[in-house]
Amino acid sequence: MADKEELTRQHAIYKVTIGGSAVNVFLLIFKFIAGILGGSSAMIADAVHSLSDFLTDIAVLVFVRLSNKPQDKDHDFGHGKYETLATALIGIALLLVGTMICVSGLEKIRLVIHGTVLPSPGIIAFVAAIVSILLKEWCFQFTMKVGRHYNSQAVVANAWHHRSDALSSIGTAVGIGGAIILGEKWTVLDPLTAIAVSVFIIWEAVKLIRQSSSELLEASLPDDIEQQIVNTALREKGVSEVHNLRTRRIGDHYAIEMHIRMPGEMNLYEAHKHATRIEDAIRQLFGSATHIIIHLEPLKVDGRYVDPDEAQ
């Protein structure tokens, strides 16, 4: 069952990523042509952003395939960290793109301050920006839907990369449109809007890098997730306490370890049945690939373990 679920997940991720990649290839070519023919440096920079989107699509396809490899002798917990690594790489790519757009915008503003009149772009560049906004927002919507459904951080990160390109194109459209309508004196709108968009891109990049780095450093799951785990275990009959809870994320899967207290007179068979039911309930919440270790302990009396035979 788990294998079938993984294959379905992998197929959905490939499908949505290849779809986004096809859009990126089209926009990459269209933007470069429009930027050259329309004399718009902003559109050429936008084309470079589309190139970074295409490269991150390739990264998602490669790393998700690696992360879905089954566990082996050298990887007892599977290969899920590859997906986390892909998220980090996408975040770094976004950071570089955002910084590049910001630096380019600042340089153009410096030229304007020193009296340079930026060239007015052609209408084809404006059309390319509008097409980019519509297509990239569409890519964001269907990619985010799949990423959230299958709990894939790499796909969610890639969706934000699509959104960043759409926002970048909004800035480009405003700048190009303003320059065309208002004339050469307002061509400075292009770099100004590009800088504003770059701030958002950099902010999203930093969030992705922080999130992926915390997972690579074995950060615990959020408090609300851990509370769900504790509550699930406590609902099982006979469980009086949960402690020593340890959690982490391995790609799109959770790894959970905990100690639970149950009556000392309970035999091993009964205790095993209760532990299995807890595992099943947790996997119902977080997926069949969830890694769970439960250590069973008898109740304590006055701070110490008591042999049930001696207590009678």
Side-chain angles (χ1 to χ4, degrees):
M1 181 66 179
D3 291 339
K4 184 177 180 181
E5 289 179 358
E6 286 302 317
L7 287 174
T8 300
R9 176 181 184 273
Q10 189 171 344
H11 176 73
I13 290 174
Y14 283 171
K15 184 178 179 180
V16 74
T17 304
I18 290 173
S21 182
V23 172
N24 285 332
V25 170
F26 166 74
L27 287 176
L28 171 63
I29 297 171
F30 185 32
K31 286 179 180 180
F32 268 122
I33 293 174
I36 293 170
L37 295 180
S40 172
S41 58
M43 181 50 62
I44 292 176
D46 216 15
V48 173
H49 194 179
S50 291
L51 174 62
S52 74
D53 276 351
F54 175 69
L55 294 177
T56 55
D57 287 338
I58 300 300
V60 170
L61 289 172
V62 171
F63 282 100
V64 168
R65 183 175 182 83
L66 289 172
S67 71
N68 279 283
K69 289 173 61 179
Q71 64 186 68
D72 53 35
K73 181 181 178 182
D74 297 322
H75 300 84
D76 292 331
F77 292 92
H79 300 76
K81 291 293 185 183
Y82 280 112
E83 190 164 328
T84 307
L85 181 58
T87 304
L89 292 177
I90 292 171
I92 292 170
L94 273 174
L95 182 62
L96 292 174
V97 168
T99 302
M100 180 185 68
I101 293 172
C102 184
V103 170
S104 176
L106 289 172
E107 175 61 21
K108 289 178 182 177
I109 291 174
R110 186 188 69 81
L111 292 174
V112 171
I113 292 173
H114 286 82
T116 302
V117 177
L118 299 178
S120 181
I123 190 67
I124 188 174
F126 180 75
V127 172
I130 298 300
V131 171
S132 177
I133 294 167
L134 297 175
L135 287 180
K136 295 304 289 186
E137 180 60 24
W138 177 54
C139 286
F140 169 79
Q141 295 296 335
F142 69 68
T143 303
M144 181 62 78
K145 182 178 180 180
V146 170
R148 286 174 174 167
H149 179 76
Y150 290 101
N151 197 25
S152 172
Q153 287 188 315
V155 175
V156 169
N158 205 27
W160 278 111
H161 210 161
H162 288 311
R163 171 62 68 81
S164 74
D165 202 6
L167 291 171
S168 176
S169 294
I170 289 174
T172 304
V174 171
I176 293 173
I180 292 173
I181 296 171
L182 301 175
E184 290 186 349
K185 290 184 178 180
W186 290 93
T187 53
V188 72
L189 288 173
D190 188 348
L192 282 173
T193 52
I195 291 172
V197 171
S198 71
V199 172
F200 173 82
I201 295 173
I202 292 171
W203 174 249
E204 289 299 328
V206 169
K207 288 200 297 184
L208 290 175
I209 293 170
R210 287 179 60 186
Q211 177 182 338
S212 56
S213 62
S214 68
E215 289 183 21
L216 290 172
L217 295 172
E218 304 292 336
S220 301
L221 297 176
D223 291 342
D224 59 327
I225 298 295
E226 290 197 338
Q227 192 58 53
Q228 278 186 276
I229 295 168
V230 171
N231 292 341
T232 300
L234 290 175
R235 279 196 292 268
E236 181 63 26
K237 184 179 179 181
V239 176
S240 61
E241 182 187 343
V242 177
H243 60 283
N244 284 359
L245 176 65
R246 293 183 175 89
T247 63
R248 60 189 172 119
R249 185 166 183 146
I250 305 175
D252 64 311
H253 306 316
Y254 292 162
I256 301 166
E257 300 178 19
M258 60 182 161
H259 294 196
I260 62 173
R261 296 198 195 280
M262 304 188 76
E265 63 272 13
M266 184 179 292
N267 62 46
L268 180 59
Y269 178 78
E270 288 295 325
H272 173 71
K273 282 204 308 184
H274 288 295
T276 300
R277 280 201 287 264
I278 293 172
E279 291 177 359
D280 291 342
I282 291 175
R283 289 194 173 100
Q284 284 290 323
L285 284 174
F286 306 119
S288 60
T290 306
H291 176 79
I292 307 170
I293 295 178
I294 297 178
H295 174 74
L296 301 174
E297 296 180 358
L299 300 179
K300 283 185 174 182
V301 178
D302 296 328
R304 68 185 183 88
Y305 296 116
V306 177
D307 187 332
D309 293 332
E310 293 180 0
Q312 290 178 350

